[in-house]
């Protein structure tokens, strides 16, 4: 769940609101938490559906509850987690996950219109209660929205959708200068020395850090001569002109120094790496901005921190090269964009 994702509609949220599905924190359970409508759960929970005769709890087989989700960024989906944490006697029997790709900013009416083609990512499948139900997805297409169905009714605590961002190259053209490493534009973490406190992917989120655990913090190093690092793949080959390293909210645990190196091609070729920013002293809880003396062409960067410590955000401002733009365009087209 990112700040830009959203649950834009649901047919029923009698007991608990649909927005809870995307809360970034794990679901919690408060046994004393009741409201006017009954038990309040940390998730999305619908009322009980009933059969027509009243003697049988099951409604007609095709009846279900649904929620529509806008992805934080369009892309290829690799995996979905339907987490029913704390739903023990009130989780759905089965779920279905479908996806579609629509341009612009469609509302519920456009998404539910007759002509919209939904593709099944997870067919109707039983789920377990109080469990993180994981599903691998193999559909190689770019999607913008999901529809989560629960058969026939019940509660789901959290929805997590993992995959690769596939931006619209024409939108990036319109931006001109852009953050080449931003997750919103298709930048990714390829490897990292440490993920102890938080994911290094938070370094390349498009928003500003709001608190200490919003960035990347590693454990304390106890071995001399070693340091922590993260390697990123840029959205595509680009020319980097300026670097931002932010240590917001990290005060007694920010990195003391940082260095940035890059490569243009194969990251496994050690000889191909070059210095972008030399080892530079950092201040705690401070944004740092560096204009490069000349534009640097790269496909990957490696951020080293010395000896350890946290960072809030990394931004690499620049432009796509002609080859980078062409590669993005080809991928966009191949995935149905």
């Amino acid at each position: 769940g990112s700040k830009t994702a959203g649950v834009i509609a649901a047919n029923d949220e009698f007991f608990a609101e649909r927005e809870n599905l995307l809360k970034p924190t794990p679901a919690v359970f408060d046994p004393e938490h009741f409201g006017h409508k009954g038990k309040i759960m940390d998730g999305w929970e619908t009322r009980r559906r009933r059969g027509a005769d009243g003697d049988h709890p099951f409604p007609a087989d095709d009846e279900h509850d649904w929620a529509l989700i806008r992805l934080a960024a369009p892309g290829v989906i690799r995996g979905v987690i339907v987490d029913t944490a704390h739903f023990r006697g009130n989780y759905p029997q089965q779920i279905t996950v479908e996806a579609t790709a629509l341009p612009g900013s469609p509302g519920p009416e456009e998404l539910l219109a007759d002509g919209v083609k939904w593709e099944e990512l997870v067919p109707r499948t039983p789920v377990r209660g109080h469990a993180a139900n994981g599903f691998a997805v193999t559909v190689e297409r770019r999607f913008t929205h999901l529809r989560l169905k629960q058969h026939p009714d019940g509660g789901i605590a959290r929805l997590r959708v993992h995959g690769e961002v596939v931006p619209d190259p024409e939108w990036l053209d319109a931006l001109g200068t852009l953050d080449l490493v931003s997750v919103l534009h298709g930048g990714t973490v390829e490897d990292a020395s440490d993920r102890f406190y938080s994911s290094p992917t938070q370094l390349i989120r498009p928003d500003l850090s709001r608190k200490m655990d919003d960035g990347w913090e590693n454990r304390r190093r106890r071995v001399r001569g070693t340091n922590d690092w993260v390697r990123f793949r840029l959205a595509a080959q680009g020319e980097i002109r300026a670097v931002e390293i932010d240590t917001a909210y990290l005060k007694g645990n920010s990195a003391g120094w940082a260095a940035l190196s890059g490569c243009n091609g194969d990251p496994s070729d050690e000889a191909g790496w070059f210095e972008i920013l030399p080892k530079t002293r950092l201040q705690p809880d401070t944004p740092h901005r560096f204009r490069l003396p000349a534009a640097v062409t790269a496909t990957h960067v490696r951020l080293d921190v010395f000896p350890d410590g946290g960072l809030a955000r990394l931004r690499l401002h620049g432009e796509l090269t002609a080859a980078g733009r062409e590669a993005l365009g080809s991928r966009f087209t191949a995935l149905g964009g």
Side-chain angles (χ1 to χ4, degrees), residues 50 59 61 133 141-142 151 187 215 230 232 246 264 272 293:
R50 297 296 196 208
D61 194 49
N133 298 275
R141 277 202 50 215
R142 177 184 185 269
H151 308 272
V230 188
F232 302 94
D246 191 359
N264 186 23

Side-chain angles (χ1 to χ4, degrees), residues 5 13 28 56 62 101 116 199 204 243 245 260 264 271:
E13 43 190 332
V28 295
H56 205 280
D62 59 347
V116 175
S199 165
I204 55 175
V243 176
I245 298 174
L260 193 69
N264 186 23

Side-chain angles (χ1 to χ4, degrees), residues 93 124 144 149 155 190 201-202 214 219 227 283 288 312 322:
Q93 282 187 304
R124 188 166 170 170
T144 60
K149 295 178 177 177
E190 283 199 330
T201 300
Q202 301 201 135
D214 250 4
R219 74 184 83 200
N227 72 284
Q283 300 299 322
H288 306 76

Side-chain angles (χ1 to χ4, degrees), residues 240-315:
I240 305 166
R241 300 184 184 282
V243 176
E244 279 187 79
I245 298 174
D246 191 359
T247 57
Y249 297 98
L250 293 148
K251 296 177 180 177
N253 52 354
S254 72
W257 291 262
L260 193 69
S261 50
C263 86
N264 186 23
D266 179 5
S268 65
D269 175 16
E270 285 296 325
W273 286 85
F274 48 84
E275 183 179 90
I276 297 176
L277 197 68
K279 187 173 173 179
T280 304
R281 184 80 208 236
L282 299 178
Q283 300 299 322
D285 194 24
T286 302
H288 306 76
R289 296 194 173 107
F290 308 97
R291 261 183 76 184
L292 302 182
V296 172
T297 302
T299 55
H300 299 73
V301 296
R302 176 179 154 132
L303 177 67
D304 282 88
V305 296
F306 302 92
D308 58 19
L311 297 175
R313 294 289 184 270
L314 171 70
R315 311 251 191 256

Side-chain angles (χ1 to χ4, degrees), residues 219-230:
R219 74 184 83 200
R220 300 184 189 210
R221 272 194 179 256
R222 305 302 193 199
V223 180
R224 285 185 186 279
T226 62
N227 72 284
D228 282 309
W229 54 269
V230 188

Side-chain angles (χ1 to χ4, degrees), residues 90-220:
N90 48 354
Y91 58 93
Q93 282 187 304
Q94 298 156 322
I95 59 95
T96 304
V97 182
E98 300 167 329
T100 193
L102 287 187
S105 308
E109 300 78 17
E110 292 98 318
L111 287 162
L112 296 171
D114 288 344
V116 175
K117 183 176 178 293
W118 289 88
E119 193 155 343
E120 214 166 58
L121 302 188
V122 181
R124 188 166 170 170
T125 308
V127 288
R128 290 174 301 132
H130 190 53
N133 298 275
F135 304 96
V137 175
T138 55
V139 182
E140 283 290 324
R141 277 202 50 215
R142 177 184 185 269
F143 294 111
T144 60
H145 293 77
L146 294 187
R147 178 161 60 189
L148 172 63
K149 295 178 177 177
Q150 30 180 352
H151 308 272
D153 53 38
I156 295 168
R158 297 287 187 269
L159 176 71
R160 297 289 180 256
V161 182
H162 300 281
E164 294 155 27
V165 173
V166 181
D168 180 346
E170 290 190 359
W171 172 247
L172 299 188
D173 292 344
L175 293 178
T177 297
L178 64 131
D179 181 0
L180 291 162
V181 77
S182 169
V183 70
L184 208 56
H185 300 145
T188 52
V189 171
E190 283 199 330
D191 202 2
S193 59
D194 185 291
R195 300 163 192 258
F196 188 79
Y197 287 109
S198 53
S199 165
T201 300
Q202 301 201 135
L203 286 170
I204 55 175
R205 284 173 57 127
D207 55 350
L208 290 171
S209 176
R210 303 271 175 230
K211 54 190 194 307
M212 193 182 87
D213 66 352
D214 250 4
W216 173 54
E217 191 196 350
N218 39 56
R219 74 184 83 200
R220 300 184 189 210

